[in-house]
Each structure stands twice: as structure tokens, then as C-alpha cells.
Amino acid sequence: MESEGLKQFLEVVGDAVHSVNTICVGLAAVRAGTAKKPDDLTIGWKSSNPETSASKARVFALRASLVFVEEALLKYLDFLKDCSTEDERLYKALSTEGAADRVVEISKYLSDAEPYWWPMVVLLVRWRNRVVHSAKIGLAPLQKKILLEHEQVLKQRHAGIEIRKTLENFESSQITLKDFTTLIAITVRYVRALDEQLEPQLHTMQGFISRLEQRGLVEVFDNVMKANGESTRRRKLRSFLDTEFSKIPDTFFEDIFHHGPIRQDIA
């Protein structure tokens, strides 16, 4: 069963991919020279070279979307951390400094995954850092070696992707649509595998409160817990959890109920 964290990750990634696809469809009209700015669109736009404008806009959209996907990945890893407070080694791995290093460490807990998945997820993180911070750090030799060793497998399974060309594009910061879709597809499989193997569930108040904060639900939760009458609070809390945190185990309900409002915990 999908965890709450996986659901949120897939929602963000799905929105990003759909938006990229929509932008690419629109840019096809720009490239063809058939796109016209509507009179009620209050911006200035014209292009003496529609093909160049479309190409630049596509790269910009891909780079921006890569940032959203990487942020969704990090939020999922934070979710795993919230759910792993009772496993000291796993918690330590998820507390590793640096997103790419965190991916490396948590990947050691995946026993049923393709060898090239984690280096591709590291590549996504590194590419995002190159976009946002102009970072120069690339893949480690081992990571690049694994990808090149699986060159044919990647090509067969991922729409003919040429991993050598992808690595060249990374070095030159020129991401293509095929690079983007391949990185996203593999990252989704990687996160699904983590979710299936680790089976994360929120089972501590610390983790629960952290998720409320991240999702902006603290005020909603506190209002539920301030309802008059124990039976009313229980009913409202059950409805709230069923709607917002459907994967929280029933055994955790009493802990949440007796904790009450959490304003004092985040002051």
C-alpha cells in the first residue's frame, strides 16, 4: 500500500510532468510560427526567431521542473525520516548531510532495485544543484561507471536514452526532454521501491507534527482538537485522519487524540 509520503510525491511529480508536457505542446506552435499572443494577455512578446525562442523556453521549463521534482524527492526522504525514529541506523542514513549523499546512504537499504536507479537519482540531484546553485560537483567515478555499464539496459528500457549523451548534457547544463522524462521515470520507480520495502507509517507524535507543519495543517488539526465534547472530538479527528492521513495505523489514533492541540509544540 502506498504511504502518505509516496502519495504526495507522486502528486507533485505528476503535476510537474503534465505541466512540462503542456508547455511542450504550446511551444510546438511557437516553433512553427503559428502562435499568436492574445490581445487580453498583458505581456510583451514577439520573436524574430520562433525556433530559437521555443528551444530556449523548453530548456527553461525542464530545468525549472527538475527543481520541483527534486524538492518532492527530498520531502519524501524527510517523510521517511519522520517514520524511522525507532530504527537508529536508518534514521542516521536519512539524516546524512547533502541530498546526493543521503540518496547514496538510503539506497543501501534497497535490496530489490536496478543497480542504475540510485546513480540516476543522484544525477537528478546533482543536475538540480547545477541549475539552482551553478554547482560544479558531478557524479562520482563509481556512479558514472555503473551508468555506463548499464548503457544498453537503459537504452532498451527507457525509450532509447543514450546515457553517454545524457552525461554530456549534464556537463554542459543542456537538459533535453528525453533526459528529463528518463530521470523522472527512474526516480519514481526508486521512490516506489523505497516505499514498498520500508513500509513507512507515521507512528510517533514527532513525525506526525512534522508532517502537519510541512502540509500547513496545524491550524486545521488544532481546531478539530478544540471541538466541544469528547465524542465530537473523536468523530472529527477520525474524519480528519481518514481524509488527510489515511495510512496512519489505527493503534496511533489514541496517542494523537490524547496529545490534543499542538500549538505549544511549535511555538
Side-chain angles (χ1 to χ4, degrees):
M1 296 178 65
E2 295 179 352
S3 71
E4 177 69 23
L6 177 59
K7 284 183 177 181
Q8 293 177 37
F9 171 79
L10 294 176
E11 181 178 349
V12 172
V13 172
D15 287 345
V17 171
H18 178 73
S19 295
V20 166
N21 292 344
T22 302
I23 290 169
C24 288
V25 170
L27 289 175
V30 173
R31 182 183 296 274
T34 59
K36 294 184 178 180
K37 183 182 78 67
D39 293 336
D40 60 350
L41 192 59
T42 56
I43 60 171
W45 183 83
K46 64 179 180 178
S47 176
S48 58
N49 190 328
E51 185 171 347
T52 298
S53 295
S55 295
K56 287 183 175 180
R58 174 186 277 201
V59 171
F60 177 85
L62 293 174
R63 285 160 58 93
S65 297
L66 197 66
V67 175
F68 276 97
V69 173
E70 196 257 6
E71 288 297 315
L73 170 65
L74 296 189
K75 286 184 178 180
Y76 177 77
L77 295 182
D78 285 342
F79 170 79
L80 283 185
K81 183 179 176 182
D82 290 339
C83 298
S84 305
T85 54
E86 295 180 1
D87 187 328
E88 185 176 349
R89 292 179 60 194
L90 180 59
Y91 188 84
K92 183 177 181 181
L94 289 162
S95 302
T96 303
E97 290 293 330
D101 291 336
R102 197 178 316 160
V103 169
V104 172
E105 291 303 314
I106 195 61
S107 296
K108 297 175 182 178
Y109 287 81
L110 267 180
S111 59
D112 186 19
E114 294 295 337
Y116 62 84
W117 283 1
W118 70 269
M120 286 294 283
V121 178
V122 171
L123 179 60
L124 180 144
V125 172
R126 295 298 188 200
W127 215 321
R128 178 268 183 192
N129 290 342
R130 190 155 292 192
V131 168
V132 176
H133 303 297
S134 298
K136 301 300 182 183
I137 301 176
L139 294 182
L142 174 62
Q143 295 160 6
K144 187 179 295 186
K145 179 175 180 288
I146 292 173
L147 293 181
L148 293 176
E149 287 176 346
H150 291 81
E151 182 175 8
Q152 291 305 313
V153 174
L154 279 158
K155 187 173 184 178
Q156 292 169 4
R157 297 180 181 175
H158 300 282
I161 188 76
E162 297 281 355
I163 192 61
R164 292 180 186 271
K165 180 60 178 174
T166 296
L167 293 174
E168 291 175 5
N169 292 341
F170 168 65
E171 294 300 333
S172 61
S173 298
Q174 293 298 316
I175 191 169
T176 67
L177 183 59
K178 182 171 288 189
D179 295 332
F180 175 81
T181 55
T182 302
L183 286 168
I184 302 313
I186 292 175
T187 300
V188 167
R189 295 182 186 186
Y190 172 84
V191 172
R192 281 190 180 277
L194 280 176
D195 205 71
E196 182 176 349
Q197 184 158 336
L198 299 179
E199 298 183 330
Q201 288 186 330
L202 294 173
H203 58 276
T204 67
M205 282 308 304
Q206 178 184 352
F208 179 67
I209 292 171
S210 177
R211 297 310 296 167
L212 287 175
E213 292 174 347
Q214 290 179 6
R215 296 183 57 191
L217 294 172
V218 172
E219 184 176 355
V220 176
F221 174 79
D222 279 356
N223 287 337
V224 166
M225 299 311 297
K226 292 176 184 177
N228 291 326
E230 180 176 340
S231 61
T232 300
R233 286 197 301 277
R234 285 183 177 276
R235 176 176 53 80
K236 287 180 173 290
L237 177 59
R238 176 64 65 186
S239 177
F240 172 79
L241 294 178
D242 286 345
T243 301
E244 302 293 347
F245 296 93
S246 59
K247 294 298 182 292
I248 282 184
D250 290 339
T251 54
F252 190 36
F253 178 89
E254 290 299 324
D255 291 339
I256 297 174
F257 179 79
H258 290 294
H259 186 279
I262 63 175
R263 290 179 304 171
Q264 63 270 24
D265 295 311
I266 62 174

